């Protein structure tokens, strides 16, 4: 499979999602979550929008690099890089925790992930599930499938230190789940993901401030 060609195609599809303003039905409003019928499978394409206190370039790394995301995303049991194709294209393996109060068992996914930079500091991380021989399905987890999905990050015009994060997801969880169960849980999962990202950014900044020379010296003074 030509992973690089596929990555470019999916990146363009996610960009098209971000430009399509018609047909979305809002399901959550504290952080805006909406959906529309998917063109890729018999289900929904979900969109979640939130404001994150970080620049797009830093936020994107925080959202997809295993050394960051594994620390803040409570929905994940395992998140690891299987293969680096180039500096902006990777294959990642994800194992989720159970969710919906345990009614949905853990799933695993193998995804091709690609980062693309646009004018105006917009950054898009696109992904799609792929078959990867070095990580075949096992009996331990149900192998899910992510149709083309991704994150679109752009700076807020009124505050460039903040980002507007828009997520697009359309997962097939497979197994014996009814479509109604999936549709009932997805909006809450997206809300939780944005809340976790915000909390993770805050914790990272607090840790960085505490680890700075100024924070270190004030800590020593306090101990005295």
């Amino acid at each position: 499979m030509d992973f690089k060609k596929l990555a470019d195609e999916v990146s363009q599809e996610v960009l098209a999602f971000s430009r399509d303003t018609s047909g979305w039905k809002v399901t959550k409003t504290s952080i805006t979550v909406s959906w529309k019928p998917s063109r890729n499978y018999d289900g929904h394409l979900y969109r979640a929008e939130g404001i994150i206190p970080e620049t797009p370039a830093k936020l994107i790394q925080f959202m997809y690099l295993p050394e960051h995301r594994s620390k803040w995303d409570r929905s994940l049991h395992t998140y690891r890089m299987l293969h680096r194709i180039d500096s902006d294209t990777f294959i990642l393996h994800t194992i989720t925790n159970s969710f919906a109060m345990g009614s949905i068992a853990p799933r695993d996914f193998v995804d091709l992930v690609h980062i693309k930079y646009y004018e105006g500091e917009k950054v898009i991380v696109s992904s799609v599930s792929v078959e990867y021989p070095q990580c075949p399905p096992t009996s331990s987890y149900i192998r899910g499938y992510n149709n083309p999905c991704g994150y679109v990050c752009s700076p807020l015009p009124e505050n460039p230190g903040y980002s507007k994060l828009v997520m697009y997801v359309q997962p097939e969880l497979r197994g014996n789940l009814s479509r109604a169960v999936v549709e009932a849980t997805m909006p809450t999962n997206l809300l939780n993901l944005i809340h976790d990202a915000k909390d993770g950014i805050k914790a990272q900044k607090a840790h960085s401030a505490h680890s700075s020379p100024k924070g270190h010296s004030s800590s020593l003074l306090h101990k005295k």
Side-chain angles (χ1 to χ4, degrees):
M1 177 181 290
D2 187 340
F3 287 126
K4 185 63 177 174
K5 181 175 181 292
L6 177 60
D8 288 335
E9 291 172 352
V10 175
S11 181
Q12 288 302 309
E13 188 162 356
V14 174
L15 180 62
F17 293 159
S18 71
R19 292 172 172 170
D20 182 2
T21 59
S22 64
W24 296 98
K25 303 179 188 301
V26 175
T27 59
K28 297 284 186 179
T29 56
S30 57
I31 293 169
T32 304
V33 179
S34 51
W35 63 270
K36 65 189 302 183
S38 171
R39 297 177 181 177
N40 298 96
Y41 77 118
D42 185 23
H44 291 165
L45 167 63
Y46 293 90
R47 179 179 68 184
E49 303 173 69
I51 305 301
I52 309 291
E54 188 54 277
T55 62
K58 292 182 179 179
L59 177 59
I60 284 298
Q61 294 187 35
F62 185 79
M63 293 295 293
Y64 84 89
L65 286 177
E67 58 263 35
H68 296 308
R69 186 161 180 176
S70 59
K71 295 178 181 177
W72 63 263
D73 191 343
R74 293 180 296 171
S75 71
L76 300 184
H77 177 269
T78 301
Y79 184 73
R80 64 192 178 102
M81 188 177 294
L82 297 176
H83 178 57
R84 181 186 293 269
I85 297 170
D86 60 29
S87 61
D88 296 321
T89 313
F90 320 89
I91 294 177
L92 297 173
H93 182 224
T94 303
I95 301 174
T96 70
N97 291 313
S98 62
F99 54 101
M101 299 179 66
S103 63
I104 299 179
R107 261 61 176 172
D108 82 324
F109 299 84
V110 174
D111 295 319
L112 174 67
V113 178
H114 180 63
I115 301 95
K116 194 163 185 176
Y117 300 86
Y118 295 84
E119 290 184 8
E121 298 185 52
K122 176 185 286 188
V123 188
I124 293 180
V125 175
S126 57
S127 63
V128 67
S129 286
V130 295
E131 293 184 5
Y132 189 64
Q134 289 84 343
C135 188
T138 70
S139 59
S140 300
Y141 301 100
I142 297 171
R143 175 64 55 90
Y145 182 88
N146 282 317
N147 290 284
C149 55
Y151 309 132
V152 180
C153 271
S154 53
L156 286 184
E158 64 272 24
N159 189 347
Y162 280 61
S163 297
K164 180 179 181 181
L165 173 66
V166 185
M167 300 188 301
Y168 298 92
V169 300
Q170 43 182 347
E172 295 183 58
L173 299 183
R174 296 179 172 174
N176 297 318
L177 291 175
S178 70
R179 177 172 167 177
V181 170
V182 175
E183 292 175 356
T185 58
M186 282 306 301
T188 299
N189 290 344
L190 290 171
L191 283 175
N192 291 340
L193 181 59
I194 290 184
H195 282 306
D196 285 352
K198 286 183 174 181
D199 290 343
I201 287 285
K202 290 178 182 177
Q204 185 183 64
K205 288 186 173 182
H207 176 75
S208 297
H210 181 73
S211 299
S212 67
K214 182 178 179 181
H216 182 65
S217 61
S218 61
S219 176
L220 291 176
L221 289 172
H222 179 72
K223 288 181 179 179
K224 291 179 180 179

